[in-house]
């Protein structure tokens, strides 16, 4: 992490990075709740929140520069999984606060750019949940478009001495694109889990940390769009079984177990975790538009039949 002239600034940012690492490890996933970020952490007797009322946020403990930049989650019901502004250089476009380039928040980000101060980028995935990425650096300023260019870097980027600046720029662009890909994946996950009320559609398990958002048709498929109707909330066991065609789901929502697995004799996990769901009915979301697309299910079921 680049050294800042102010030791307090450096210490707060380092503590914020460690706080995020700890909270993500505790959560067991890549997103954090709004209340966790709003509460923040204690630093030498002062509370340091990571989210404020505005997107560009400087907690009171910091002397000059912002600590975080946040993008609000999409509004409920809006299906826009790829709304990040990414330029041809692979960098994230982050809008100014308001329309005045001289607003103090915009000046703060401009100063952070000049000093190459590491920030935390908080991307709203769904209401109440954010994906944090750090360190983020402001690397460009376009007053005509009221936009900063932001690069997400690796937290420890080991670059040999003498490497051209262009190589570092390419690395940052690559890491930024990978981060935005994680954002899209997490948004799909959160929307699917919300639709299924954080419950496995097969076994009804409700432990969020053990649930995945599973594509019915994979994202590499031409119809494998990140729509809730192309997704299922499954526990990790049933996700793996579905992906490997041990479990099939018919278009009428009946669950089938592959015949060779159904005929096996093993312990209680096989009986209760897989074989016992033969012929049961899939749990579906309440909203019609969120329920599994029958066309996607039919195509995926045919793959299951061929595998058996």
């Amino acid at each position: 992490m680049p050294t800042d002239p102010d030791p307090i600034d450096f210490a707060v940012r380092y503590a914020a990075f460690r706080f995020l690492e700890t909270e993500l490890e505790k959560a067991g996933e890549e997103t954090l709740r709004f209340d966790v970020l709003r509460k923040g952490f204690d630093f030498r007797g002062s509370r340091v929140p990571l989210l404020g009322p505005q997107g560009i946020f400087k907690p009171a403990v910091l002397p000059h520069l912002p600590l975080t930049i946040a993008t609000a989650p999409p509004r409920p019901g809006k299906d826009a999984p790829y709304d990040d502004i990414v330029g041809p250089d692979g960098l994230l476009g982050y809008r100014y606060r308001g329309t005045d380039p001289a607003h103090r928040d915009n000046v703060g980000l401009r100063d952070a750019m000049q000093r190459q101060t590491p920030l935390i980028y908080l991307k709203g995935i769904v209401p109440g949940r954010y994906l944090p990425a750090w360190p983020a650096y402001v690397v460009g300023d376009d007053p005509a478009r009221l936009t900063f260019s932001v690069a997400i870097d690796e937290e420890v980027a080991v670059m040999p001495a003498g490497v051209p600046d262009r190589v570092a720029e390419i690395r940052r662009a690559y890491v930024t694109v990978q981060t935005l890909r994680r954002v899209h994946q997490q948004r799909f996950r959160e929307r699917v889990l919300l639709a299924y009320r954080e419950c496995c559609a097969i076994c009804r398990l409700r432990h969020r940390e053990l649930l995945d958002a599973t594509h019915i048709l994979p994202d590499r498929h031409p119809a494998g769009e990140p729509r809730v109707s192309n997704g299922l909330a499954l526990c990790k066991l049933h996700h793996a079984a579905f992906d490997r065609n041990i479990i099939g789901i018919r278009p009428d929502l009946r669950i089938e177990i592959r015949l060779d697995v159904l005929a096996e004799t093993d312990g209680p996990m096989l009986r209760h975790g897989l074989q016992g769901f033969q012929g049961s009915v899939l749990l579906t979301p309440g909203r019609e538009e969120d329920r599994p697309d029958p066309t996607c299910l039919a195509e995926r079921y045919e793959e299951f039949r061929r595998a058996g």
Side-chain angles (χ1 to χ4, degrees), residues 4 19 77 97 160 163 173 209 214 237 251 254 266 292:
D4 193 281
F19 167 77
R97 164 84 184 275
V163 169
E209 63 272 25
T214 307
L237 171 63
R254 290 283 175 182
D266 202 339

Side-chain angles (χ1 to χ4, degrees), residues 58-110:
K58 182 190 80 65
V61 70
L62 282 180
H64 304 296
L65 302 178
L67 175 61
T68 64
I69 52 175
T71 301
R75 288 176 292 169
K78 296 295 182 181
D79 193 4
Y82 298 109
D83 60 354
D84 304 281
I85 302 171
V86 182
D89 53 5
L91 300 178
L92 174 71
Y94 188 82
R95 297 284 293 177
Y96 279 16
R97 164 84 184 275
T99 58
D100 180 8
H103 188 283
R104 64 182 180 183
D105 287 352
N106 299 325
V107 170
L109 277 191
R110 202 168 290 119

Side-chain angles (χ1 to χ4, degrees), residues 194-206:
L194 180 64
Y196 282 83
R197 302 180 295 281
E198 299 190 352
C199 178
C200 175
I202 292 178
C203 68
R204 283 45 170 184
L205 181 72
R206 291 187 177 276

Side-chain angles (χ1 to χ4, degrees), residues 244-306:
R244 288 158 180 78
N245 291 313
I246 293 174
I247 285 179
I249 301 171
R250 299 188 332 213
D252 65 358
L253 305 179
R254 290 283 175 182
I255 296 165
E256 289 189 5
I257 307 300
R258 202 173 68 207
L259 291 178
D260 62 318
V261 176
L262 200 58
E264 283 182 23
T265 301
D266 202 339
M269 175 57 76
L270 179 64
R271 291 197 308 274
H272 300 297
L274 292 173
Q275 294 169 335
F277 291 103
Q278 171 74 4
S280 61
V281 179
L282 194 77
L283 174 74
T284 59
R287 297 199 317 164
E288 182 68 31
E289 59 266 38
D290 290 340
R291 292 173 187 168
D293 185 326
T295 303
C296 295
L297 282 178
E299 183 170 345
R300 187 67 178 79
Y301 179 67
E302 284 306 309
E303 180 184 326
F304 165 78
R305 282 168 55 89
R306 290 193 298 270

Side-chain angles (χ1 to χ4, degrees), residues 130-158:
Y130 288 77
L131 184 146
W134 73 93
Y137 294 92
V138 181
V139 295
D141 180 16
D142 188 346
R145 295 175 55 241
L146 303 176
T147 302
F148 292 104
S149 293
V150 176
I152 313 296
D153 209 344
E154 298 164 317
E155 186 170 1
V156 179
V158 180

